[in-house]
Every structure is written in structure tokens, then in C-alpha cells.
Amino acid sequence: MTAITGSGAVPQARTAPRAWLPWWLPATLLAAAIAVPMLLSPYPPLQDFAEWAYQGALLARLASGQPVPGVELVGHPVPNSLTQAILGLLCLVLPPAVAARVFVLALLGAGLALCLALARRWQPGAARSLAVVLLVSVVCNATFWNGYLNYQLGLLLLAGWFLLPAPRRLQAGPIAAFGTAIFLSHAATFAAFAAVVGAEALLARRLRGAVMGLALPGLLGVWYVLAGDGGGEPTSAMGGVARFLAFKAYTVAKIGPYHNFVFAGGGDEVLRPAAYWAGSAANLTYAGLVLAALALGLWRGGVRRWPLLLAAAALLALFLLLPQNARGIVNPGERLMLPALLVLLLAVPLPAWPLRLSAGLGGLVLAANLLAFAIPARDWTVPVHFRDLEAAGGAAALFRHRPTSFACKWAALETADAPISFRTSLLRSAGEDFYCPVPP
């Protein structure tokens, strides 16, 4: 805005009022609140993470020449292994339990830094709100609380890609470096990365750099498939169009801030029904606000970054087509929807009011949700198996996570005397998959 002063009618900038608190403070305070249970709980309350931490400890033992009966390293690249490799390196210099917490806190810190940097660069007019939304829906989303930290690491690497200048994102060197790291983190995030790189190169008519850059991770993928580890269980059907669409809508609602943490006594749907229904309503409202912000931004003619919108559209189309389970992967479409959401939040100029409401609702609900870890009656020693969910209050309850799913693996970090549970990693076992004992 300008003011007309003096006889020369010289326009002068009117000083904008200062915000009453720094723009980066809300996201930083929320990240600090998330860090508290990572530090003070008996172990990080992330569903599958104790198993990955355990495999990191086994990797460190193998690297230091100690015997690990029944377990050996695989001889080919695995697109679900970077987290274990980093944890193994940390375990060479730190006790395994400390290494695991250091890794989670570093991941959270890196995620916060990315949220702030991306919001300031891509949406400077809404940086405060977007940083919180990115923290809630991309960095500390449902897959984070499920402990899918290989996927989360790949998602953060994909987010870091958007901090590079546009010309650098068309060059073979950066594409190869990011592509290889993302591939080793998770195949789904690599597919999203390839879609982004391909769309930008295609519309810029500079395909050579993209082809050369994607060649190395592409060859690693071929090697992985030829090694025979690319298979899985058969695809399962959803059982009707209505159920399929409801599941997709539920997956979108999972970007919200409410998480239903299930311990041996049950989840919120059993112990705190009011909190469960209020949290579920909050997730639906939050998802609606985020979608409204994106829709309004597009409707107002905010199509400035066609390559990114093309990539997001391709990922969303795959999200809509993929079944609930495919080749042993639960909800594979979610792994593509989240990168699409990240791309859209950066590419579409977002209106202030729905984004501000999303950030306020998301930050407050997630911060309040974390109080669940302060309830003293929680039993952190009893593992909750997925087959126990019906007994713990009904298998149809929503937004569930089982923080104690692999409690026995955390207890075995020092002794390393338990078999591994997940084979999609750097380790191979000749025995049967081992899950924590089902409570009686």
C-alpha cells in the first residue's frame, strides 16, 4: 500500500505492522511438543520403529565383527534400508537406545527446518500457517506415528529437493544424488520423485538431464527386482465401490492431527469415546479446510507451476486406483497421496483464511493429542498385535496406531537375541518372521 504525500505526489511505502510473534514460532513450539514423548516415553512411541531400531543394532554388530546367529546382510540394494543403515552407523558410536532417540529427534529437527524453509520460499505470504500444516500433514503425519521412518526419510528428502533452484532441478548430478538417496529410503517416494523430475523435464524440454540422473537409481531398482525381493502377497480387493470410496476418503482424512494411540487396555474409542469422536471430527474438518485452500487457490487462477501440478495429478490418479492392500503393502495409495499433497501445498498459491484455520486446528489438536502419552496407566511393556485390535475395542475404529507393537524388540536392543520381523531391509533371516508375542 502507498500514501500520497507532498506536492510531488511521491508514493511512499506504508510500513506494515509487525507481527506480535515471530512467524516461525508456532511450528517450532509444535515440534518441541512432539519431541517431548520421543524423549520421555520409555521408547519413541512410533509403531514399527522399535523393529527398525533393533535391525540397526544388528547391523552395527555385523559391521563390528560380532556374530548374529541366523541373520546375514543382503547382497543387493534395497529401497527400504537407508534408515537402518543410518541407525547402524549411530549404533557403532552410541548405545542402541540412545542412537534410536537421536535418529528420531534428528529426523524431527530436519523436518521442522524443511517446513520453515519451504514455507518461506514457496508461500511467503502464508509461511507461518503453511509451516504448521506441513509439520502436521507431511513430517509428523499418520505414517510417522506408524513408524514408517524409511518412508518418512524419503518424504523429507523429496521435500528438500524443492529447496534447489529450478535450473538445478533439471541437471543430472542433483537428480542422481537425490534420486539414489530417495530410492534407498523408499520405492514409493522414489516414484513420486521420478514423476516430479519427469514432469519438470518434459515441460522444460530438457529430458537429457532427467534420463541421465534417473539412470543410476533406475538400475538399482532393476537389480533389486532381479534379486527376487520385489514380490509380495497378492493384491486384495476392497469389496464394493462404496467401501472403496469410503476408504479413500478416510485416507485423505488421515492427514489430520488426531491420532488414536492404542495400548493394551484399548484406544480412545473404548477409554475416551468423546475424545475419539471429537478427534475424528477434527480430522475431517482439517482435511476439508486443506482441500478448500487448494481448491480456492486453483479456482482463483493460481496455476503458475504446471510441471508440479502435472506430477501431482499423476500421483493422485494412482492413489485413486490402487487397492487397500497390494503385494504385501498396506494402503499403497497413501504413499503416493502424501507426496502429491506436498507438491500441491507448494505449487498452488494458497488463500490465507482456510490455511490459517487449518494450521490453528491442526496445531492445537495435535498438541492436545500428545497428552495421551502422559497418562500413567499406560503399559509400555505389553505389545499390541494387529490381531488384537478387535478385542481392544473393535477392528473398525479409525486413526489407530500401536506404540507398543514391537515392545519386545526395544527390550532386546542390547542382547540382540530375537529374530527380525521385517525382511524388506538390509538383513536376511532364514527363519520365520517374528512378531512380538500376542498378549493372552
Side-chain angles (χ1 to χ4, degrees):
M1 298 177 64
T2 60
I4 306 300
T5 61
S7 59
V10 178
Q12 295 180 347
R14 181 176 297 170
T15 304
R18 281 194 172 188
W20 63 278
L21 53 80
W23 71 271
W24 46 264
L25 189 58
T28 303
L29 290 175
L30 182 58
I34 297 167
V36 171
M38 304 302 155
L39 282 169
L40 300 185
S41 298
Y43 44 85
L46 310 175
Q47 181 171 298
D48 288 357
F49 177 64
E51 167 67 18
W52 297 128
Y54 180 71
Q55 292 201 21
L58 294 185
L59 278 170
R61 283 177 171 257
L62 289 172
S64 59
Q66 301 180 57
V68 181
V71 176
E72 63 181 6
L73 285 170
V74 301
H76 56 268
V78 179
N80 195 35
S81 59
L82 189 56
T83 288
Q84 295 91 281
I86 296 172
L87 284 166
L89 292 174
L90 289 173
C91 287
L92 291 174
V93 296
L94 294 170
V98 176
R101 292 187 195 271
V102 167
F103 177 82
V104 171
L105 292 175
L107 193 76
L108 179 59
L112 171 63
L114 281 169
C115 291
L116 296 174
L118 289 169
R120 192 60 178 262
R121 175 171 178 177
W122 287 82
Q123 305 280 1
R128 181 199 306 267
S129 299
L130 181 60
V132 174
V133 169
L134 288 173
L135 189 63
V136 169
S137 297
V138 176
V139 176
C140 296
N141 53 23
T143 53
F144 172 80
W145 296 105
N146 277 340
Y148 304 161
L149 294 197
N150 276 304
Y151 175 80
Q152 287 302 116
L153 181 57
L155 199 56
L156 293 191
L157 289 168
L158 176 63
W161 174 252
F162 294 106
L163 292 178
L164 293 181
R168 291 282 288 164
R169 298 203 303 271
L170 296 171
Q171 295 175 358
I175 293 172
F178 271 82
T180 301
I182 293 173
F183 170 82
L184 293 174
S185 296
H186 202 276
T189 50
F190 175 71
F193 174 76
V196 169
V197 168
E200 289 194 309
L202 180 64
L203 294 192
R205 298 181 180 179
R206 294 180 59 180
L207 291 174
R208 181 180 178 182
V211 171
M212 293 176 62
L214 293 174
L216 176 58
L219 289 173
L220 295 179
V222 172
W223 186 359
Y224 171 69
V225 172
L226 292 178
D229 283 355
E233 300 173 5
T235 298
S236 65
M238 282 294 297
V241 175
R243 185 177 177 185
F244 180 82
L245 294 176
F247 181 75
K248 294 299 179 181
Y250 166 63
T251 302
V252 173
K254 287 173 67 179
I255 69 172
Y258 169 70
H259 303 282
N260 182 8
F261 300 111
V262 181
F263 287 77
D268 285 345
E269 71 281 0
V270 174
L271 304 175
R272 290 164 294 276
Y276 171 73
W277 290 111
S280 299
N283 277 1
L284 291 171
T285 304
Y286 175 92
L289 288 169
V290 171
L291 293 178
L294 293 171
L296 283 172
L298 290 170
W299 181 69
R300 292 175 179 177
V303 183
R304 298 198 304 249
R305 304 173 177 106
W306 281 107
L308 298 185
L309 292 174
L310 177 63
L315 294 173
L316 288 175
L318 288 172
F319 157 67
L320 292 172
L321 291 173
L322 287 170
Q324 182 177 7
N325 296 283
R327 303 184 70 81
I329 301 173
V330 178
N331 199 357
E334 183 179 29
R335 313 298 205 282
L336 299 177
M337 181 203 70
L338 291 170
L341 175 66
L342 168 65
V343 170
L344 289 173
L345 289 172
L346 301 181
V348 177
L350 301 172
W353 68 266
L355 192 66
R356 191 178 299 122
L357 290 175
S358 301
L361 177 64
L364 290 174
V365 171
L366 180 54
N369 199 179
L370 297 175
L371 295 175
F373 296 117
I375 298 175
R378 302 294 199 191
D379 191 339
W380 290 81
T381 64
V382 178
V384 176
H385 195 276
F386 68 87
R387 295 189 182 93
D388 299 320
L389 288 180
E390 186 170 359
L398 305 177
F399 308 113
R400 278 175 153 175
H401 311 281
R402 296 171 288 125
T404 65
S405 178
F406 288 94
C408 65
K409 294 303 182 70
W410 188 264
L413 278 179
E414 297 294 340
T415 58
D417 56 357
I420 63 174
S421 301
F422 301 146
R423 298 172 183 267
T424 54
S425 73
L426 291 172
L427 299 179
R428 176 189 289 127
S429 172
E432 295 293 327
D433 292 351
F434 176 83
Y435 290 84
C436 287
V438 180

